Amino acid sequence: MNGYLKKHTEALVKDVGIEVACRVSGKSKATLGRYYSEAPEHAERYMPVDTVAALEAVASHPHVTAALSEIRAIKQNDELANPDGLCAIMIGLSEQYAALMAEFGRSVETNMSENDTRRMLREAMALQKNILALKVYLEGCAD
């Protein structure tokens, strides 16, 4: 898991470009490099969540958030065998989607930034994709 997050952190920085990443995050090139370095002395060093959020707001893809989501799904594979676990996951995804859409509605009224609009739409599309995949899976189990 350690290398997986480091790889996606590096992809995020490279997506936005190191100079832009420095400007957006307020971090130096060296500090950003330590976040994705796989050297033993940096093994426990990860990019702070606020820095991830700032960079993903200007990136073409939410690299770290997607990686964390994938890791969570991998850990939940045991729950997939349990129908109650599937229902809980579906409910959780649906609640996240509803909350995101409510936030989106409020933000539109307050003239949110283009970056926030893009971020929310990416999050909404990712949630829709996961909900649809789970629905297809559940339908396949019912047959």
Side-chain angles (χ1 to χ4, degrees):
M1 179 173 73
N2 185 11
Y4 189 71
L5 285 176
K6 298 273 187 179
K7 183 173 69 171
H8 284 279
T9 301
E10 182 177 14
L12 174 61
V13 171
K14 288 183 176 182
D15 182 357
V16 300
I18 189 71
E19 298 296 332
V20 173
C22 290
R23 204 169 38 254
V24 169
S25 69
K27 311 276 186 205
S28 69
K29 289 180 185 179
T31 299
L32 290 173
R34 287 182 197 109
Y35 294 142
Y36 54 81
S37 171
E38 294 195 37
E41 62 269 20
H42 303 300
E44 296 302 315
R45 187 180 293 229
Y46 294 95
M47 186 177 282
V49 175
D50 60 332
T51 304
V52 170
L55 293 177
E56 286 186 346
V58 296
S60 66
H61 177 73
H63 297 276
V64 176
T65 301
L68 288 168
S69 177
E70 290 169 9
I71 289 169
R72 182 172 182 217
I74 291 167
K75 288 183 177 181
Q76 288 181 336
N77 276 342
D78 291 339
E79 291 181 28
L80 291 178
N82 177 356
D84 292 334
L86 287 173
C87 291
I89 292 169
M90 179 65 98
I91 290 168
L93 289 173
S94 298
E95 287 172 346
Q96 287 177 347
Y97 183 76
L100 181 64
M101 290 295 94
E103 180 185 352
F104 184 78
R106 285 189 300 273
S107 297
V108 167
E109 295 170 0
T110 61
N111 296 324
M112 82 174 130
S113 73
E114 187 175 327
N115 285 339
D116 284 340
T117 302
R118 284 191 203 130
R119 177 189 57 81
M120 287 182 158
L121 290 175
R122 281 193 305 261
E123 287 179 31
M125 288 174 24
L127 284 168
Q128 287 173 335
K129 181 180 171 187
N130 289 328
I131 290 169
L132 182 60
L134 186 54
K135 177 184 178 283
V136 168
Y137 177 80
L138 287 171
E139 287 174 347
C141 289
D143 292 337

